[in-house]
Each structure stands twice: as structure tokens, then as C-alpha cells.
Amino acid sequence: MSHLNIKKWIALSLHQKVKKNETRLHDLTYLFWECTLRCNHACLHCGSDCTKNNAIKDMPLKDFLSAIDDIVPHVNPNYITVGLTGGEPLLRNDLEECGRELYKRGFPWGFVTNGYLLTEKRLAGLLNAGLRTVTISLDGLEANHNWLRGINNGFQKTVNAIKLVSASDKLVYDIVTCVNKRNIDELYEIKKLLISLNVKRWRLFTIFPVGRAANNPELLLSDKQFVQLFEFIKGTRKEGLISASYGCEGFLGDYEGEVRDGFFNCRAGISVGSILADGSISACPSLRSKFIQGNIYQDKFIDVWNNRYEVMRDRSWTKTGKCKSCKSYCFCKGNGLHLRDNETLELLFCHLEKINSGQE
């Protein structure tokens, strides 16, 4: 482990024991509902290939609530956050009704949005329905945000949405940014903007080659830029003006413990589950095809959660290809599952490989 100092090696080794116990218990703490595949943007990096008129219709709310009601007797709802994702959740006119029903059942809930449709009136209605968390995507300054999002006037509406949520004392919220070749050199300006908007938490992600991003070289950082991003996050965290962190994906070698609050831990199928738009039961919404564990129209979610998910809980199958001889496999366990091909299960993206190359 020449890339890790002994103190970090020991900490990561102890963390593996925690992960092993979490896997054994597999307590559900976060449930995604892919409530729509419709979207009012046309993002160049969309992994779900969402459109304004998606062929897969929105799941009726009553069907989702029926699945939720099957879960309630077996869990403490207060400890499970339900996150509504898409597509764009605000395109659903019954979002408030959904929130009220979840709130009545004891579930804290939130949603991920591009912010385009979030008005003061809509936010007030959602807060009255028990809304507790919001994640808003801001992917650059005006030109680059609008370019990545495929919409001409998205930036200002997103900024307005950030102003609305930052003014509320009832919300836990964060801003996420997908870092790419076009916006990496404006991260300092984005940081200044977010601080001026009173944003406290900022998550930065890198785009991986799935969906529309698979064949767009402008979206994927070079190895040097990859390292540049982590150095930026380290510096920002030391400043202490905004809580910046890298997303949960990927083992980062010596950057572990430096660019996010905890060590790498892909919780897909361990504490994170999902119900997709067609009723499929999975973990994080990026996991489809061979990762699908059942369907709410044939199976009870809680039975699937307790008795399946072997492909996510026993990851020994990932020790193939470049992972087989990697000295960091004991910490990485094959990287985040969403970075594997949904059909072949082969690894598409290795963070440590890019970091090592970028540091040469």
C-alpha cells in the first residue's frame, strides 16, 4: 500500500469491519422513488436518457404508496428517508399529495431537482406537505450550466431556486455540481457564487461514461483534471467557508478522508434501495438490468430487501479484470456498482487508476 500512509491504512482497515457489519444487518435507511422519467431539460450527461415525453409513464401514486404500506410494519419509518428522483420530480402535480402521505406514515422525505419549476408558492406547498430535504443541481456558471443542461434559461431559474431553499429554516439542502472539462476551471467562481447565496453544503461529482455521456469526450475529465478537482476540494475544505465534498462514488486512494467526511462506501443494496418508474426494485437508480431484484407489481419490497440483493451484498464477483491484481481491492471492493456495465457487469471507470495516472 505504498500510496497510503500507515495511519490511513489502519483507519481504512477498521472501516472495512464497519462495512461488513452494515452489510450483514442491511438496515434500509434511504429509499429512492424514480417518480417520473419525464424531464424539462435535455442534459448531456443523463444516465436515464429522460425526455419531455418519456415512453415509460409515471407510476400512479397509489401504486407507490401500496409498496410503502408493505414496508411500514417491518421498519421504523422515522429512520428511512424517501428521496424522490427522476426525471424531474416537480413535473408531477401530485408531489404534495405524495409528501403528505409519506409524512403521515412517518417518513422524512425530499427530492432532487434542477430547480427550474421551483417557485415560492410551490416550495411553500411542499413544506406544508412535510418536505425536509432538497438537492439542486448547478453545473457551472451561466453558459456552461445551460450547455450541460440543454436549456437556454436554466441557470437563472436554478439560482432563484437556490435562493428560495437557502432562505428556509425548515430544510436540509445541498447543491450538486457535475464537473466536466468545460466547468472545471470556473469552480472557484462557482464557489464564490454559492457562498454569496448562503449555501453551506456543496457536493461535486465527476461524470462517468454511461447513458448520453458515454460518447461525449467534453464531459469526461482528463487524468490531470481529475487530480485538479480533488486538490480544489481539499483546499476548499481547509478554507471552511463552504462544506465541499466529493460524491459517494469511488475509492480515492490517499485522497480518502481528505475530500469527503467519510471513507468510500458504496451502500447500494446495503442501506439504499429504490423503486424505479416501471416498478423495478433496485438500489441506487443507476443500477438496472442485471442489478434488478424484483418488481413491486409481483413482489413485496420488504421481502426482496430482506432475501435478495446478493449481487450487491457479496461483491467477491467484482474481483476480476484490473480489480483482480489491484492492491487496493481490499478497500475498494470493485468500486461503486453504478460504475459497472449493467449488462456485462464489467468495470467502466476506476477512480484510483485516473488519480495515479494524473499524479505521474
Side-chain angles (χ1 to χ4, degrees), residues 98-339:
C98 176
R100 284 191 295 272
E101 292 300 324
L102 289 171
Y103 184 75
K104 282 195 294 187
R105 290 162 172 79
F107 291 94
W109 69 278
F111 65 97
V112 182
T113 179
N114 56 44
Y116 193 85
L117 296 174
L118 191 63
T119 62
E120 185 175 2
K121 181 179 179 181
R122 190 85 197 266
L123 180 58
L126 291 164
L127 286 169
N128 287 334
L131 177 67
R132 288 296 173 264
T133 68
V134 177
T135 293
I136 299 178
S137 297
L138 180 75
D139 293 315
L141 300 181
E142 187 163 11
N144 283 327
H145 175 88
N146 290 344
W147 165 75
L148 187 66
R149 292 271 150 185
I151 193 165
N152 291 330
N153 59 344
F155 175 79
Q156 193 54 56
K157 293 205 172 189
T158 296
V159 169
N160 291 340
I162 294 171
K163 290 178 180 177
L164 287 173
V165 299
S166 66
S168 173
D169 60 0
K170 298 179 180 178
L171 284 172
V172 175
Y173 72 95
D174 64 357
I175 307 304
V176 296
T177 297
C178 289
V179 184
N180 56 77
K181 282 184 177 178
R182 285 207 187 188
N183 69 11
I184 188 167
D185 290 324
E186 61 186 25
L187 290 179
Y188 287 96
E189 294 302 314
I190 298 170
K191 177 174 67 174
K192 284 170 59 179
L193 172 63
L194 294 178
I195 291 171
S196 75
L197 296 173
N198 201 35
V199 172
K200 305 301 182 187
R201 288 170 292 277
W202 183 25
R203 281 185 294 148
L204 299 97
F205 289 83
T206 43
I207 297 171
F208 49 95
V210 172
R212 295 179 193 161
N215 300 305
N216 192 331
E218 286 189 283
L219 298 179
L220 307 179
L221 297 178
S222 69
D223 297 344
K224 294 289 186 185
Q225 289 171 325
F226 210 62
V227 173
Q228 177 186 339
L229 169 62
F230 294 127
E231 289 298 321
F232 169 80
I233 296 174
K234 275 181 64 175
T236 299
R237 289 171 69 87
K238 287 179 181 178
E239 287 175 353
L241 300 176
I242 185 171
S243 177
S245 64
Y246 186 62
C248 59
E249 60 184 60
F251 177 71
L252 308 177
D254 201 45
Y255 283 112
E256 288 292 325
E258 307 288 337
V259 295
R260 54 189 167 208
D261 294 338
F263 293 132
F264 168 63
N265 188 2
C266 177
R267 291 184 167 86
I270 295 169
S271 61
V272 177
S274 70
I275 296 174
L276 304 182
D278 63 354
S280 294
I281 298 171
S282 186
C284 78
S286 297
L287 300 181
R288 298 171 185 267
S289 190
K290 288 189 177 179
F291 289 106
I292 298 298
Q293 300 298 297
N295 192 292
I296 64 165
Y297 292 109
Q298 289 88 43
D299 308 291
K300 289 187 180 297
F301 179 91
I302 197 66
D303 290 342
V304 173
W305 180 258
N306 286 331
N307 300 306
R308 301 185 194 177
Y309 286 88
E310 191 66 18
V311 69
M312 302 177 203
R313 294 172 186 166
D314 178 0
R315 302 191 186 182
S316 58
W317 59 269
T318 63
K319 198 171 185 179
T320 59
K322 65 181 68 176
C323 295
K324 189 171 185 178
S325 59
C326 180
K327 293 180 180 179
S328 293
Y329 181 83
C330 58
F331 301 137
C332 179
K333 302 297 183 186
N335 221 354
L337 291 180
H338 69 292
L339 300 171

